[in-house]
Amino acid sequence: METNRRTVLTAAAAAGITAATLGGTAHATGGRTPVKSLFGKLADGTKVHSWSLANGGTRLKVLSYGGIVQSLEVPDRHGRYKNVSLGFDNIEDYVASSPYFGALIGRYGNRIAKGRFTLDGTAHQLSVNDGENTLHGGAQGFDKRVWDVEPFTKGSDVGLHLHYTSIDGEQGFPGTLRVKVTYTLTRQGDWRIDYAATTDKATVVNLTSHVYWNLAGEGSGSIYDHELKIAAARYTPVDSGLIPTGELARVAGTPFDFRRAKTVGEDIRVADQQLLYGKGLDHNWALDKGITAKPEHAATLRDPSSGRTLKIATTEPGLQFYSGNFLDGTLVGTGGRIYRQGDALCLETQHFPDSPNQPSFPSTTLRPGQTYRTSTVHTFGS
Ligand code: BGC
């Protein structure tokens, strides 16, 4: 049975468990001020801080480096907390070998073919870091930048404002882009992300968050038993370099049909050309709702073993569902366990990959005077 966080608290109160047992007074009273501590230092001596937040039964740790969600803890059906997001326990591993664990992604989430696009008649060449293509903003994307972090409490909400200014020409992108990302933990324990950006020259923008979810707990094994539902009748098939062909294909009758909940593993070994290209699921679903003014339902993930659920609502038209195919047992995670293929999945709300080269896709162009705004809400249950 699915309950919300308040039901858990009521049950906990009936069982004589105090709010402190469940992670502090934040649960009972709403958010308290985020707590800052030193996480580590970059090679040049720059300090990286960790910010701890708790509200409504959700506990979050965020790094100033990459805006990384280093840990996100939520209770299972018995009120037992686990960190459900993959990561590292030290800054050196994040710098040396992170496959974007928990990071903010920009200036452009997912791939741009050959790292090239033309805007208003001017050709731009980006930093290429994925074969011949640009992935997640290039070799030094927003995930590898130190963000200015400003904590806030507002009513019963608690959160962080993260600021980063990407200068004109950074990684090949035109225009100085001023980015503000707000992470909010609500009194219900939702984690909300609001992205905003402005530019001084026409540019392209596609921001997202790259949390690797395992609702049974990071390091606990495969997510192939997780049940997933995606509100999308179409997806964008790709070529061998994972660049969309431009087609909006129907999911009906394919392994990409998640309109009814099914396990991630159910069709992952079907002999399908698209699954061969992705080494599993690594595709953009075109959400039925399209672009919306307010976050609307996109996907539901459930782990039957713990009962934990995650619902994602977004203003964005696309969702990249990546089944952790490139995790290969070479990284040791936060809890000291090795991450192997399929040990987590990502659900990245976004505009479609390679939109700057795909005239039929929703536009990712941002012009001076406009403000880029998108929002995504993560709702946890158990
Ligand atoms: C992409 C994958 C990529 C991964 C990086 C995902 O967003 O879709 O192709 O390998 O990020 O870890």
Side-chain angles (χ1 to χ4, degrees), residues 99-100 110-111 135-136 210 212 242 282 320 322 326 348:
Y100 307 94
N110 212 279
R111 292 176 176 79
L135 175 65
H136 296 331
H210 210 296
Y212 282 69
L242 302 186
D282 187 3
Q320 186 80 18
Y322 166 59
F326 299 107
E348 302 151 64

Side-chain angles (χ1 to χ4, degrees), residues 18 39 45 65 93 110 125 148 177-178 200 246 248 301 305:
T18 65
F39 186 71
Y65 180 81
D93 284 348
N110 212 279
Q125 177 65 57
D148 286 329
L177 190 77
R178 292 181 192 282
D200 63 357
L248 279 173
L301 183 67
S305 68

Side-chain angles (χ1 to χ4, degrees), residues 255-256 267-268 270 272-281 283:
F256 299 89
D267 289 333
I268 207 161
V270 169
D272 177 286
Q273 183 64 67
Q274 286 295 312
L275 293 181
L276 285 167
Y277 285 155
K279 294 191 167 53
L281 294 150
H283 294 76

Side-chain angles (χ1 to χ4, degrees), residues 71-374:
S71 163
L72 194 154
E73 295 181 358
V74 284
D76 69 4
R77 59 163 76 86
H78 303 297
R80 287 184 298 233
Y81 278 78
K82 282 231 168 114
N83 174 13
V84 295
S85 138
L86 270 55
F88 297 119
D89 66 359
N90 66 88
I91 190 63
E92 291 76 17
D93 284 348
Y94 277 110
V95 173
S97 48
S98 180
Y100 307 94
F101 284 155
L104 283 174
I105 304 294
R107 186 175 302 197
Y108 197 96
N110 212 279
R111 292 176 176 79
I112 296 180
K114 299 188 169 67
R116 278 186 217 147
F117 67 98
T118 298
L119 185 58
D120 298 337
T122 305
H124 298 280
Q125 177 65 57
L126 307 173
S127 146
V128 164
N129 60 333
D130 183 65
E132 59 178 9
N133 302 320
T134 297
L135 175 65
H136 296 331
Q140 297 291 318
F142 293 3
D143 57 295
K144 296 180 185 67
R145 307 288 176 171
V146 176
W147 293 63
D148 286 329
V149 183
E150 189 196 331
F152 70 88
T153 54
K154 190 177 165 201
S156 55
D157 290 347
V158 55
L160 304 171
H161 296 300
L162 298 108
H163 300 265
Y164 176 66
T165 298
S166 168
I167 57 167
D168 187 9
E170 189 174 291
Q171 302 296 292
F173 289 98
T176 291
L177 190 77
R178 292 181 192 282
V179 185
K180 177 178 173 184
V181 178
T182 303
Y183 287 165
T184 305
L185 284 186
T186 69
R187 63 183 296 182
Q188 288 82 24
D190 291 357
W191 172 41
R192 180 180 171 113
I193 314 178
D194 294 287
Y195 303 87
T198 54
T199 186
D200 63 357
K201 279 185 197 166
T203 190
V204 295
V205 191
N206 188 27
L207 306 179
T208 191
S209 160
H210 210 296
V211 172
Y212 282 69
W213 302 103
N214 184 326
L215 296 183
E218 66 78 34
S220 67
S222 156
I223 46 76
Y224 291 163
D225 288 341
H226 280 36
E227 296 159 1
L228 179 65
K229 198 172 162 183
I230 305 177
R234 292 178 186 268
Y235 78 110
T236 52
V238 290
D239 66 16
S240 60
L242 302 186
I243 298 294
T245 59
E247 192 194 347
L248 279 173
R250 290 184 190 278
V251 298
T254 77
F256 299 89
D257 194 350
F258 282 88
R259 290 173 298 173
R260 286 200 197 147
K262 69 176 179 188
T263 63
V264 172
E266 185 169 323
D267 289 333
I268 207 161
R269 288 185 173 80
V270 169
D272 177 286
Q273 183 64 67
Q274 286 295 312
L275 293 181
L276 285 167
Y277 285 155
K279 294 191 167 53
L281 294 150
D282 187 3
H283 294 76
N284 169 64
W285 271 253
L287 298 169
D288 293 337
K289 67 174 194 66
I291 297 172
T292 44
K294 295 213 166 114
E296 286 184 17
H297 178 68
T300 304
L301 183 67
R302 178 172 176 272
D303 166 40
S305 68
S306 64
R308 291 190 187 91
T309 57
L310 164 64
K311 286 187 184 161
I312 295 188
T314 185
T315 59
E316 287 280 52
L319 182 75
Q320 186 80 18
F321 163 31
Y322 166 59
S323 56
N325 315 323
F326 299 107
L327 296 172
D328 60 1
T330 56
L331 301 176
V332 179
T334 334
R337 309 254 301 165
I338 282 168
Y339 295 144
R340 295 167 61 90
Q341 189 178 46
D343 278 2
L345 62 88
C346 302
L347 296 168
E348 302 151 64
T349 55
Q350 62 182 7
H351 269 53
F352 302 172
D354 198 35
S355 297
N357 295 306
Q358 305 268 357
S360 66
F361 287 177
S363 172
T364 50
T365 302
L366 183 73
R367 297 186 180 282
Q370 298 177 328
T371 301
Y372 170 97
R373 280 187 208 283
T374 72

